[in-house]
Amino acid sequence: MGRSSTPPDTAPDAEDVLLARHGRAAHLTLNRPRALNALTHAMVRRIDEALTAWEHDPEVETVVLTGAGERGLCAGGDIRAIYEDARAGGTASADFWRDEYRLNARIARWPKPYVAVMDGIVMGGGVGISAHGNVRVVTERSRIAMPETGIGFVPDVGGTYLLSRAPGELGTHLALTGAPVGAADALLCGLADHYVPSPQLPHFLEALSTKPVRQALPHHTHQTHQPPPPGELTAHREWIDHCYAADTVEEIVDRLLTSGVQEAKQTAETILTKSPTSLKVTLRAMRRARELPTLEEVLAQEYRISCAALTSPDLVEGIRAQVIDKDREPRWRPGTLGQVGDVEVERFFGTRP
């Protein structure tokens, strides 16, 4: 590995992101397997430094992102740190998001092939550093989700940009429920580009050390191997597109409950366990994201929303219930959709109705 193209290991936590060179390919490996490779601010800076070094290095043709361990690429941001910051009324989370969202935008504009191996669990911030890449690979083990409404937060890292551009109302369904999708549904929703069976991954990554991506991919994708396991969303498109086309979360829930479809009723019950405030802000964010032409503009909107969420009681309560105490019984404030008015929703966007 050329020293001139590799950021120095100056930080004590530099090993949370491993850097390596294998022939034509430079590798970024998220290396916090016990935390399912959850992103810290230092890791975001480390990735950004590496991309700076490799962007103009003629020996680096491809960048490859993977996660250490057997469970997945990345479970998202370090929400325990966000919890402590929000409780203390600090600014560390806002600083983290600023750099993280800038990195998401940089990845989307990366001039070289950026191969994100979305194997296993890929959630929240993990989606941000993978699904904006120009070569996104899923496997039969992939489980991709933006589960923020369950912790009193709102899909970020460009999640509302990606989901608002999914076919029909599939993205709205995924944003409100936080439901994970497998490989086939990730391909359908535009969250990924290629399916490579997990046993083929070592061979694919080895091929990238000697071949351009355009030559390595065809030998390992579903064009020459088995297709991904069948997805679930296509069979539910009719009721998803009808129910989620409603103008309000209340009407969406009502349509789901009265559709006569058992899966739709179960989905309504799932939605009603989420933060009412987060649900309403998420729907508004998704609808606005559809009208914003660039990822950068959507990220700017998400940044305003995220900073507002730091002062909302539901973020601290949601993380407490799901991660800290793990009682899975959040006490949302307000507790029902009907109690969340337009003034409260617009506060997250820095505007008034």
Side-chain angles (χ1 to χ4, degrees), residues 115-276:
V115 180
V117 180
M118 303 170 74
D119 186 34
I121 294 173
V122 186
M123 296 185 178
V127 173
I129 58 169
S130 59
H132 296 300
N134 49 32
V135 183
R136 305 164 301 173
V137 173
V138 285
T139 76
E140 77 283 356
R141 302 185 299 205
S142 295
R143 300 298 288 169
I144 301 169
M146 296 298 294
E148 286 77 9
T149 57
I151 59 165
F153 198 44
V154 176
D156 66 335
V157 298
T160 60
Y161 178 87
L162 294 165
L163 294 177
S164 68
R165 283 147 175 84
E169 295 292 339
L170 294 179
T172 310
H173 168 67
L174 297 180
L176 294 182
T177 62
V181 295
D185 287 333
L187 294 166
L188 171 65
C189 291
L191 300 174
D193 310 299
H194 306 281
Y195 172 73
V196 176
S198 59
Q200 288 292 322
L201 283 179
H203 308 289
F204 171 57
L205 296 180
E206 179 62 28
L208 292 176
S209 67
T210 59
K211 299 176 182 178
V213 174
R214 65 181 181 275
Q215 293 181 13
L217 264 173
H219 297 287
H220 301 281
T221 63
H222 65 276
Q223 295 175 357
T224 51
H225 293 81
Q226 68 265 36
E232 301 175 3
L233 293 179
T234 298
H236 301 311
R237 276 295 299 275
E238 185 175 353
W239 64 261
I240 286 176
D241 287 350
H242 168 70
C243 295
Y244 288 96
D247 293 332
T248 67
V249 180
E250 289 96 328
E251 188 178 351
I252 289 172
V253 170
D254 183 64
R255 289 188 183 187
L256 290 168
L257 289 172
T258 59
S259 67
V261 178
Q262 182 62 26
E263 292 87 352
K265 181 177 182 294
Q266 292 170 346
T267 296
E269 293 168 352
T270 295
I271 290 174
L272 290 172
T273 67
K274 313 299 183 182
S275 159

